[in-house]
Amino acid sequence: MGVNMTIIEGNLGRDPKTSSTQGGRMRTQFSIAVNESWQQNGEWKKHTEWFNVTAWGKNGERASGLMKGDWVFIRAHKRTSEYMPKGASEKKQFTEFVVDQLITKPGGAGALAGGANFDDFGDIGDKDDVPF
């Protein structure tokens, strides 16, 4: 048995798109932009990494109220799917991160939504054992 867990903290790159299954289960899809910068040879470099995210059920309901630019912190698992585009001869892959836990702070201000707080992610144990 392995571990498939990713933590992403960033800002929504677009307004979420919400839909429901025939059974009434809510699904909300959005993207998260994570910006990083570093200095190289005296010059500042920037890079933005984009993550496709899907939130189901209660997390989907909470995510549906977000807007482009809102800050989020998620714990998710990575999911890769294959599909056949119309008229194509080869399958394509799509990678997304499925939300297990969502912490929001809409508009960059206010309290954490849904009563969640950073302690909900649990103790990482002895900090001397962390490899970074």
Side-chain angles (χ1 to χ4, degrees):
M1 184 172 193
V3 175
N4 178 1
M5 181 175 64
T6 303
I7 294 176
I8 303 169
E9 181 263 325
N11 297 88
L12 265 65
R14 60 179 166 86
D15 287 339
K17 293 182 181 176
T18 301
S19 60
S20 295
T21 64
Q22 289 181 347
R25 189 168 181 219
M26 183 177 279
R27 176 178 81 171
T28 302
Q29 295 176 299
F30 53 97
S31 62
I32 298 176
V34 176
N35 299 310
E36 62 179 305
S37 59
W38 66 95
Q39 197 168 19
Q40 182 177 345
N41 300 325
E43 184 180 331
W44 282 99
K45 306 282 185 177
K46 293 182 181 179
H47 175 74
T48 301
E49 191 69 36
W50 291 92
F51 298 87
N52 294 311
V53 178
T54 300
W56 290 93
K58 291 201 183 281
N59 285 323
E61 290 174 31
R62 288 188 32 221
S64 69
L66 296 171
M67 295 176 12
K68 179 180 178 177
D70 285 347
W71 176 88
V72 292
F73 186 100
I74 66 167
R75 180 174 49 87
H77 58 277
K78 182 179 175 181
R79 171 87 30 92
T80 303
S81 304
E82 287 188 339
Y83 66 98
M84 181 68 78
K86 286 185 179 181
S89 59
E90 292 184 34
K91 289 183 179 180
K92 299 265 185 182
Q93 287 190 333
F94 178 77
T95 300
E96 66 182 338
F97 293 84
V98 180
V99 175
D100 297 313
Q101 185 170 28
L102 171 70
I103 297 175
T104 63
K105 201 158 99 171
L112 296 174
N117 64 57
F118 288 102
D119 293 333
D120 291 342
F121 283 92
D123 186 9
I124 62 169
D126 185 358
K127 291 171 182 55
D128 292 332
D129 291 339
V130 178
F132 48 86

